[in-house]
Structures are given as C-alpha cells and as structure tokens.
Amino acid sequence: MTSRISHRLALLAAGALMVATPALAHRQWMLPSATILSGDDAWVTVDAAVSNDLFYFDHQPMGTTGIRATAPDGSETKIENAATGRYRSTFDVHLLQKGTYRIENSSNGVMGSYKLGGEEKRLPRGTTSENLKDAIPAGATDVRTSEASNRNEIYVTVGAPTTTVFKPSGKGIELVPVTHPNDLVAGEAATFQFLLDGKPAANLGVTVIPGGNRYRGVLGQMDLKTDAQGKVSVTWPSAGMYWVNASVGGGREGGPPGGPGGPGAGAGAAPPAARPMPTGPQPRRANYVTTLEVLAP
Amino acid sequence: MHSRNRLILSSSVALGIAVTPASAETLDLGIAIPRLTVAEYHRPYVAIWLEQPGAAPRALSVWYDHDMKDNEGTKWLADVRQFWRAAGRSMKFPSDGVTGATRAPGDQKISFTAGTGPMPKLAPGEYTILVEAAREVGGREVVRLPFSWPPKPGIVRAAGTTELGAVSLSIKK
C-alpha cells in the first residue's frame, strides 16, 4: 500500500516537472533483437516500452517519434517499420555500415511556472531552453524553471566495435566507454564513465537490474556509485540483458536518497516528506537509461 | 605467391616473431564433430584460432556456409561468439586461406604448417589453439588445446561434451 502511495507521489512529482517522457515512475526500455551482429546486410529490430518488469511489455508503449539512430560514421539513419501497439512499440534499423550504432530517444525539456496577473501558469509542453524566451510572456514574475535531460539509448555493433557515436554532446547524462558496451561477457568487469553536461559525473548513482525479474523472487538490483572521474565498474553475474539507469535531481532509480526518485521510491519505503516548492532555479534534472547485453563466455 | 610471402614476412616482423629458416613443422588437428540424433540437424559453424598472451589472436580456419548467395552465411558468424570476439569481428569474410565449408559429423582433420597460410611462424613460447563449434538450433562449445613451442613430444588432447567430441593436436617436425 505504501508503495502505491509513494508511487503516486512520484507520479505527481514527475507530472509537475516531466514533459516528453510520460512515466519516469516506471522503467523505460528499448530491447534490441541483437547487439552484436555479423554479415553484410544486418538489421536490428527493437521493442520499446515502459513497464515495471524487465523486459516485459505489459504497461505502456514508448512513443517512436523521438527515436533517432546514428550510424558509426556519425550520420543519422532512419528507423523503419515503426509501429505502436497497446503495450509496446517496435521498429527496425537497417545497419548498412560496419561499427557501432546508437539508437536513442532523448529530450531536453524545460519545465516550470511563472506568475502573470496574480495567476500561476505552467510552461507549456514542448518548452526547451531554445524557445524558453518565447514561452514566458512579458510581465511574468516568479519565474521558476528546471531543465530536464532524458536520454534513453542503446548500442548495437556490426563487426568490430567503434566509438564515434559516444562523442559527448555535453547535454544531460552520457556514457563514455572504457569498456565498450557491446563487448560485455559474464564474469568479467566492465567500466563505464558517466558525464553530466559534458563533465565527469562524480558520485552519480547507477542502478543495474538484470532482465527476467518476472520469474525471480529477488530483483537482483545493483546500486553503484561513480568515482571522482565519473567511472563505475560492474562485474556481470550472468549472461543476459541488463537495464542500466543513472539520474540526478529526482529520477526514479539511482537518484539521491530522500528525493521523490531516490532509492526506495516505489519500492515500499515511506514516502518522502512533502517539501515546499523552492523559488529560483530548480536543481538540474537528468536521466539516463540503456539496455546492455552480456554474453556467455 | 610473391606477395603472400611478403605479407607474412611483414606481419611476422610486426608481431615480433623470430624469422628463422623454415623447418616444415606441421600441426595436425583432429576434430570430432558428434553425430547427433536431433529432429533438425545442421552442420555446425566451426572456428579454429591461435592465441598467445600479448599477441592478437589469429584465425586459422572457419567452417561456415560460405557459398550462400550475397554472402548470407556470414550472418551467423557472430554466433561463434568467442571466436567472433577474439578475431572474427575485425576480419572480412570470405577470408583467403581461412574460409572453409562446413563439415559433416565424424572425425575431421586439418593441418597447418608454421609460416604458411594463416599459421604464422612461431617464436618460442606458450600458445593455445581454440576450437569453437556453434550449431543452428543447437548449442555452442569451445575446446582449448594448449601447447609449447618448440613442441614437446606427444599429442595434446581435449574433448567437448556437447557440440564437439575428441579434439587433438599433434606436431610433426
């Protein structure tokens, strides 16, 4: 019961600040048909959904309009055959180049409010840092804004792994490979560096959950923290698909403790005490999700 | 012929392998592909490669569906996972001297001569030949054959339990 209450609180908090990504309170994921491919005419098909259990599409589909694929040479590649059903979306990417592709669904939204004529107004959906000026009318007071960068991306490799698609954009949380995300083997340690707005994200909470939890009594979640260089090391306990989430400023998992999205939110802990809405700039909010495939040795 | 010799020489130098006068050292591999009574049987993809600590793995032979149209048989090379990670993913297929046809169940033989084709000249040291088999609608298994160079007398033997049977290496001077 408490979990439902805190879940609702998280939803409320998310609703107050979220724009493009509908449900931070559940787990968003993209699941590729393969991450390591060979051959001269490779395709990958991807399921994209929002759900609690990983990776079971039983709650909401992920929208496909914001999904972008980047080829190993850095050019944009179209997604094909996109379709959205009741519980999941699916789409294909034709992998015509050799190397590593990135498939992402990311958004940089600005949320907030202002007062005009004594009445509090919300910034409209779709507000970004670029169009923020136009969104706030002249005469507005008590302007409060918060930028949220949401990044959900997966990587697939044809032939030998490459790193062009990991060139940081400097926005939100990004993964920089120390170990390539398409070179993961059970029993081996992998190291990744996380950046927040282009700088090493020290002390960042990173949550790793193995897929298949519908048939497990325990979630098997690993709660990790990045070091001063933003690096985190994971030793994969077994082969399979893993969901990885890092967030700052109130994501559901991996966020700072005590916040609406910190560890415990939606997991049966007591709901955090309601805090008054602070004035001035809100804390930086950023969320990162990926799905990694770990192979058997 | 000429160009191939040059190629081997230059890569030998790059690997720091001693270029010694060739004495025809032959490495004979025996690979048993088990006969399986399964409803749907396909011959396995088999990869054979050489590893040495501190050196890049070298593909020696890969048996796959190399004669499908549009090179379609390469689609499943990534399923020979350890080989793919060690060497395959940075190669182009077909690969001259490495590509071979899939082989039927039974005792299969293949020989390599140090300094000829895909097998480099071998500097003194410890090596491993790995044999990996992956079968469509079946499983995957890797067997390792460690050996020293110069070779010690005797036959190196190993065996798989599912996708490979007895695997052996004997070295003739």
Side-chain angles (χ1 to χ4, degrees):
Chain A
M1 223 47 226
T2 36
S3 77
R4 184 173 297 174
I5 292 166
S6 64
H7 173 88
R8 190 165 297 164
L9 276 175
L11 268 181
L12 277 172
L17 291 169
M18 285 304 303
V19 191
T21 28
L24 248 194
H26 291 77
R27 299 179 180 122
Q28 304 172 48
W29 48 266
M30 288 192 279
L31 186 70
S33 54
T35 60
I36 296 171
L37 300 102
S38 57
D40 299 337
D41 188 39
W43 287 77
V44 67
T45 190
V46 181
D47 282 337
V50 181
S51 70
N52 281 333
D53 281 350
L54 299 163
F55 295 90
Y56 304 100
F57 32 82
D58 59 1
H59 181 58
Q60 290 292 339
M62 182 188 289
T64 58
T65 47
I67 293 172
R68 301 275 177 274
T70 306
D73 68 359
S75 64
E76 188 169 328
T77 300
K78 65 178 186 294
I79 68 165
E80 300 184 47
N81 305 324
T84 296
R86 173 62 186 86
Y87 284 146
R88 57 129 182 232
S89 292
T90 180
F91 60 90
D92 302 335
V93 182
H94 196 178
L95 310 170
L96 290 162
Q97 296 179 19
K98 295 275 196 268
T100 301
Y101 283 74
R102 179 185 69 225
I103 299 165
E104 65 180 311
N105 185 6
S106 53
S107 63
N108 283 295
V110 176
M111 289 135 299
S113 62
Y114 55 86
K115 273 190 179 155
L116 190 64
E119 203 181 331
E120 184 161 302
K121 303 258 193 198
R122 281 262 159 76
L123 285 175
R125 285 171 74 96
T127 305
T128 63
S129 46
E130 288 77 37
N131 64 20
L132 178 62
K133 253 192 249 157
D134 307 327
I136 300 170
T141 59
D142 299 280
V143 177
R144 293 185 309 208
T145 62
S146 165
E147 198 176 355
S149 299
N150 293 298
R151 185 183 301 281
N152 186 331
E153 59 188 32
I154 55 171
Y155 317 101
V156 299
T157 295
V158 186
T162 58
T163 55
T164 316
V165 296
F166 296 98
K167 194 169 176 282
S169 72
K171 272 273 188 194
I173 299 173
E174 294 176 279
L175 180 146
V176 176
V178 178
T179 305
H180 196 287
N182 292 144
D183 196 19
L184 309 177
V185 175
E188 293 185 7
T191 302
F192 307 117
Q193 186 186 34
F194 285 94
L195 307 180
L196 175 60
D197 295 333
K199 294 189 215 35
N203 207 32
L204 177 72
V206 179
T207 301
V208 178
I209 304 177
N213 59 307
R214 178 186 282 179
Y215 305 113
R216 279 199 310 270
V218 288
L219 187 55
Q221 170 172 351
M222 292 181 268
D223 289 309
L224 311 166
K225 282 266 183 225
T226 59
D227 65 13
Q229 284 84 48
K231 286 180 185 165
V232 70
S233 181
V234 190
T235 300
W236 310 101
S238 58
M241 288 287 189
Y242 286 78
W243 187 78
V244 177
N245 178 212
S247 67
V248 291
R252 182 171 185 271
E253 270 153 310
R275 282 175 296 182
M277 206 50 186
T279 53
Q282 303 293 304
R284 179 77 170 110
R285 294 168 58 89
N287 191 53
Y288 173 91
V289 174
T290 190
T291 304
L292 299 177
E293 185 176 26
V294 175
L295 294 175
Chain B
M1 214 50 220
H2 221 77
S3 68
R4 185 187 285 180
N5 280 336
R6 247 203 332 263
L7 195 73
I8 289 164
L9 267 178
S10 62
S11 65
S12 300
V13 170
L15 284 167
I17 291 168
V19 181
T20 46
S23 52
E25 288 136 333
T26 308
L27 296 90
D28 293 321
L29 273 174
I31 299 170
I33 297 176
R35 196 172 302 278
L36 301 166
T37 45
V38 290
E40 181 185 348
Y41 180 80
H42 304 273
R43 293 176 179 186
Y45 276 26
V46 174
I48 304 159
W49 73 102
L50 176 74
E51 289 191 357
Q52 184 195 16
R58 298 275 290 251
L60 300 178
S61 194
V62 182
W63 306 342
Y64 67 100
D65 293 329
H66 67 96
D67 52 359
M68 292 174 75
K69 75 169 170 61
D70 299 332
N71 211 16
E72 269 177 19
T74 56
K75 179 179 175 184
W76 301 283
L77 282 173
D79 293 343
V80 194
R81 297 203 174 280
Q82 272 199 37
F83 162 72
W84 188 250
R85 188 185 194 208
R89 68 188 186 186
S90 50
M91 295 170 63
K92 275 207 169 73
F93 288 90
S95 173
D96 193 20
V98 172
T99 285
T102 57
R103 299 200 183 187
D107 291 321
Q108 297 294 341
K109 294 190 187 321
I110 187 165
S111 295
F112 303 98
T113 302
T116 302
M119 178 66 83
K121 285 186 185 298
L122 301 172
E126 300 301 313
Y127 295 85
T128 306
I129 285 180
L130 295 96
V131 180
E132 182 173 24
R135 184 167 53 89
E136 186 180 353
V137 299
R140 179 177 67 90
E141 187 167 38
V142 187
V143 169
R144 306 168 68 88
L145 296 162
F147 67 97
S148 307
W149 200 266
K152 296 185 177 120
I155 300 175
V156 184
R157 292 180 195 279
T161 57
T162 53
E163 300 297 334
L164 287 166
V167 178
S168 66
L169 168 67
S170 66
I171 302 169
K172 284 197 303 269
K173 280 239 176 190

